[in-house]
Amino acid sequence: MTSIIKFCALSGALDDSPHSYLLKVDDFTFLLDCGWDEKCSEGFIHELKKHVNKIDAVLLSYPDQLHLGALPYAVGKLGLTCPVYATVPVYKMGQMFMYDWYQSRDNMEDFDLFNLDDVDNSFDKVVQLKYSQSVPLKGKGQGLIITPLPAGHMLGGTVWKIVKDGEEDIIYAVDYNHKKERHLNGCELEKIQRPSLLITDAYNTLYAQPRRRSRDEKLMTNILQTMRGGGNVLVAVDTAGRVLELAHMLEQLWRNQESGLRAYSLALLNNVAYNVNEFAKSQIEWMSDKLMKSFEGARNNPFGFKYLQLCHTLPEVLRIAGSKVVLSSCPDLECGFARDLFALWCSDARNSVILTSRSGQGTLGQRLHDQRNLKSVTLELKQRVKLEGAELEDYRRREREKNILSGVNKIKDQTAAESSESEDDVKKARHDIVVRTDDKTSGAVQHFFKSSKKHPTMFPYFEDKIKFDEYGEIIRPEDYVIAESEDHEMADYSMEKPKWEEEPEAECPTKCISTTTTLAINASIMHIDFEGRSDGESIIKLIESMKPKRTIVVRGSPESCQALQNLCLSTGSSDNKAFIARKGETIDATIESHIYQVRLKDSLLSSLSFGKARDAEVAWIDARLTYQAEDLRDLDDKENISLRKEQAPLLEPLEPKDIPGHETSYINELKLSDFKQVLVRNGISSEFIGGVLWCCNGNVALRRNESGRVTLEGCISDDYYRVRELLYEQYAII
Amino acid sequence: MAKRKSDVPVPAEESDLLVIRPLGAGQEVGRSCIMLEFKGKKIMLDCGIHPGLSGMDALPFVDLIEADQIDLLLISHFHLDHCGALPWFLQKTTFKGRCFMTHATKAIYRWLLSDYIKVSNISTDQMLYTEADLEASMEKIEVINFHEEKDVGGVRFWAYNAGHVLGAAMFMIEIAGVKVLYTGDFSRQEDRHLMAAEIPTVRPDILITESTYGTHIHEKREDRESRFTGLIHEIVNRGGRCLIPVFALGRAQELLLILDEYWSLHPELHEIPIYYASSLAQKCMAVYQTYINAMNDKIRRQIAINNPFIFKHISSLKGIDQFEDVGPCVIMASPGMMQSGLSRELFEAWCTDPKNGCIIAGYCVEGTLAKHVLSEPEDITSMAGQKLPMKLSVDYISFSAHTDYQQTSEFIRLLKPPHVVLVHGEANEMNRLKAALIREYEHDPDTQIRIYNPRNTAAVELHFKGEKTAKVMGSLAFEKPVEGQIISGVLVKRNFKYQIVAPSDISKYTDMTVSSVTQRMGIHYSGNLQTLQAVLSHVSPDVEVVDSDKGLKTFRLFSAIDVIVDKTLVTLEWAADSVNDMFADAVLSAILKCESLQGSRTVVLPTTVDHIRFKECLIEMLQDMFGDDAVPKVFKGDKFVVTVDGKRANIDLTALEVECNEDVGFQQVVQTAVLKLYQSLAPKAEKV
């Protein structure tokens, strides 16, 4: 029954590159996460390419680039065809992440590593699951059951449990958060006991973060100070994961009348803000108990924002008057509106930039994080602009020539084209995610029914009441403003419009330009941790209580990997093993297991005396194994003989004289503090002095050493025997 | 507790009897409440009230059970006949188990029952619960997502989508390998906002299904929708008012979607207002807008663009006082069976005018006005007690999303459960359904399906002889099992699963740990060491002298018990264990005895066996045993003879062997006596 378990890291080994690992259980190969770094580096893709045909299933844990960024590429360009398993929010938010990422990239350069169709195709492969839903795999994976468990960190975040034949449980837990947050419950790793194999990351093993309260306060004071100083705050966050926590928190701040923030504006800016918000609204059941309760009780959707404005373009945000706080993606400042805003705002000392997470090597976010006193930064700013003048003419001419050329071909295979066209249409229709750039209702409470007010049956004409003051009719300055920038903005709009609205590219020819500028950094730059991962100390506690038999350590600096490995070796029993994953190296984490099934005879069961230990019952069993089942004994046809062989052996009770003796086992672990309670209940006084429990005025002493061995010491007396009796009651003695 | 009925009392946990007992909804519709008992686990499915009755009468027969023994309570959906008694059960009984429902059900349950409390026009002392009870009950209800697996004390269960209404669930419950599917109310037909009930991927052993519509077959969805819209069109065209009594939540949302669509397709109707008179629905709007994940794919896709639950042609009506009754209109009002409330008031106000019409769109329970008017009576009795002539047209179009015969039969055919228990149906419908199902499988030798339709409180008893299997793990299983092998180990039983492991493997395969206890007991001892050693050597077969670290004299007895002598204190130290405890007690009493021996005479440690003394003793003993005549008074050498009843036994004193050819029994008796005597006299070191 021993399963061969092999593990190979494609990325995320001994460094902070994204998660992507191959796990082979017997013949079945899982790809655990499929992340891509901020720069879309090729190296990892080569690794993935080698193995892509062998992968039988992909398990995704979180919706961000770090965990599924390369999925569209793998499906679109590498031809990954296997099913992908993810929770519902990871599926929905993962799409948002990818759309936003693609769009952000496409807004500044010709991005061709994957397109939106690849994103859609890859997410079509996703099997959407709920937490604790067991999925038995079929075919090669017969006997394997996968279950997603809550992990915190991001909406729908998953710790995967893979169970082989009901015995070997493999836990894949990275980036989890054990703490309850505003919008999420923590992970439930403490419920997992003694997994056969734990695959976990060491990213935070040596990392300590300030308390949540102080981080919140820091953010709050920074915002207030900047607002009062007339500056703007850029909060660099992700697209649809951690942003929810921040958006919810800031909205609450704004709602609080005493915060004094109402005078300022709060905005969420990314390409998919409307959809992120809508999806968040419809996934309350995946959020924290507190939010769920408040929704059940007051029917207030926590993501029905009153103050947070949803913006989808840069001009939209810039139009907001006065000081503002803008939550924008991406957190690494490598692309997206956050980068644009950074370039725009960083030179003004009144502004401030808040980085909410650490990002990968070589990114702007990381540079800002590591070099606190960076005074200036040289950036390559890329932009997509509309073709103008001669260039446009040139483009049009070329386009025409192309059309003439292709026109000949078109006629040739028109029939084929037609059929494929209709297919295309179907595909296009699937892009039902529509960004409503001018949505004004999202913040307000929507009305279920049409307004019951009756309108007079006449052509709607609204008479403006003319207001007068002592100088006559009041002049509205807006009426006299010359429409200046309107045209320009319109152009921006069409440029920014997402591709999935099927804007024909030919209509708006664009090119990408790139300029390298050196920007002075005068704005205050602050790093406040809103990553939502467990800190080092808690990770240690969790692993100590989990006591994994085998551990594979992935992603993290060499030192922290080493630290985690040592920890895993020191907890639990001596035959524990812990490995540090190295890129491309295969780790054999096979666990020798010896298991077979037996059937229990009723007479055997009824002869046992069970003792209680924790939530289980235990008994000593002495029995004889036999293949001669009673019900089959007298039948001798061949069919039955073969049946007998297939059936599990039967255990039957021994004759009393054949029962061998056995050593007594004390099952359970005693906590002296618990035992003190027991003594109190039985009217025996006791107190702790220097870790020793003294009972009956010091006549009897109880000690417990490190290995859990309990020593009962005392002079011969009645008390001694009474305490001993109570002590025995704490164990299941068999 | 176990009854003394059978010869051996079987604890409930080990019994293979599975009992299903409806406490409500047995051959009736309303107050669903079904008890499931197996392996000592008690599970209640739904806890509803009877809509036709009030106060305590409306409750299911919960007085037949002990509320505090119930482990688990599952609520299938938010209709009153499935959850109406829940606040009462959670707050007013001794129930201390856990209660689960889906997210949407819980959110609506809160407002639906609050509304129920307000509209039920009975005196407060008859009220089963108050708003405060309802509020408090929210704390005790836990939520479960569809497909999410939960485990409560070994009972594993998960939910499937049931169609019917938003959040409606079918529960699959697994106890010790036996699976029971409780459908609650379900519908296999997809409609405008809900998906069809899912087909479970695992086959249940028992199916507890509703049978509301018995052998009826529903009209096609398109037909009934066009009949519905046609009827309304006709009523408003003739200048009448159209009343549609509906249950505030559930089917009403479906009807609203239909009406809104029809009105937008017929501009000529725009003049005629549609009202939905339900503040409850208004309240639950947010729930419908939020839990779209429980709806069908169409709605889930649409939500990304706009919200289908924002209506263009339907206005909300707070109460009857806001309503100007001036001309043709369409009103949807609750409650659905016109027991009381707005729908009742409107019906009474409009029933005298033949132009008006009433469309009953859902299922009606016996004893309600809605059921009564379907029989087209001449007049009805108003709530005030006066008789009103009934002239308005009454039509019945079933929109209730309950399964019909076609769907039920298909459902059963797909699942092929060996046992089907029918609940939630009038006796006649149920009997018809039972007969029809039996007929269906009459000539099918491959499928054995037994169908039950228990009355309320009548139990269906089924036997599931679950074969108990255990997994032998770890070092016990290193070698392949062979015939006759003896397995000794620890049997761990948890949640009806058994494992057998070696004690050393316990911590490896379970989360339990094996502990050890060391005992150290001090006794005052003032005698000398020699005496002690002498006495101890009599107690234990061997006395090992161990070097102690502190230079103290330490003896190890029985290879387990250390006796440490430190001046006047003797300490016994041993690892606790039932055998060692016994040895320790023996050693202890020896030491105590030894102290009392002090001063009388010095016991000298015998180093060799005194043969003369052994002989003397032997003679004395045998004389005691067999009489003076049997044993010779004196003898020489190492052999002598015992004669009893003419049987002679030869004793060899050097070899300590006894020979007797005539009687084996006698030989053994003598042999034992000789050996025992020798052992008691000889120190162990000098074993022969």
Side-chain angles (χ1 to χ4, degrees), chain B residues 45-169:
Chain B
L45 303 165
D46 282 338
C47 191
I49 50 164
H50 198 292
L53 304 169
S54 66
M56 296 293 260
D57 296 342
L59 289 176
F61 296 94
V62 282
D63 45 344
L64 292 177
I65 46 147
E66 298 297 330
D68 59 339
Q69 286 178 7
I70 293 170
D71 303 285
L72 183 62
L73 171 51
L74 302 174
I75 300 293
S76 65
H77 64 282
F78 60 68
H79 278 153
L80 281 178
D81 60 334
H82 291 263
C83 70
L86 187 60
W88 177 84
F89 194 74
L90 291 180
Q91 297 304 120
K92 304 280 166 93
T93 67
T94 51
F95 175 71
K96 54 183 195 296
R98 293 171 71 183
C99 172
F100 286 90
M101 55 174 78
T102 61
H103 292 86
T105 304
K106 189 178 177 192
I108 294 175
Y109 156 86
R110 167 74 182 78
W111 302 106
L112 189 86
L113 264 71
S114 157
D115 187 68
Y116 167 72
I117 294 169
K118 271 183 222 127
V119 299
S120 54
N121 54 349
I122 52 172
S123 60
T124 32
D125 54 316
Q126 266 191 297
M127 288 291 288
L128 289 171
Y129 44 84
T130 62
E131 182 75 24
D133 292 328
L134 172 61
E135 191 73 54
S137 75
M138 288 295 280
E139 286 294 312
K140 297 190 183 167
I141 300 169
E142 294 171 72
V143 282
I144 179 171
N145 213 335
F146 290 104
H147 303 293
E148 183 181 352
E149 283 182 24
K150 296 261 182 197
D151 190 314
V152 173
V155 180
R156 222 158 59 95
F157 60 96
W158 59 96
Y160 293 101
N161 273 298
H164 193 57
V165 290
L166 183 67

Side-chain angles (χ1 to χ4, degrees), chain A residues 16 38 203-204 206-210 215 218 236 331-334 342 353-377 379 521 523-531 533 555:
Chain A
D16 58 358
E38 294 84 349
Y203 191 56
N204 264 6
L206 299 176
Y207 180 74
Q209 65 211 12
R215 278 178 283 152
K218 201 169 154 194
D332 46 71
L333 298 177
E334 274 303 295
F342 177 78
V353 176
I354 295 172
L355 304 171
T356 57
S357 62
R358 290 163 285 168
S359 30
Q361 286 295 325
T363 61
L364 175 57
Q366 192 246 358
R367 266 155 74 203
L368 293 173
H369 178 256
D370 289 355
Q371 305 166 33
R372 294 291 155 108
N373 299 318
L374 207 61
K375 279 286 160 253
S376 71
V377 65
L379 282 185
I521 299 178
S524 85
I525 292 186
M526 201 173 267
H527 176 260
I528 308 175
D529 186 324
F530 281 99
E531 281 173 15
R533 290 185 176 101
R555 194 168 188 259

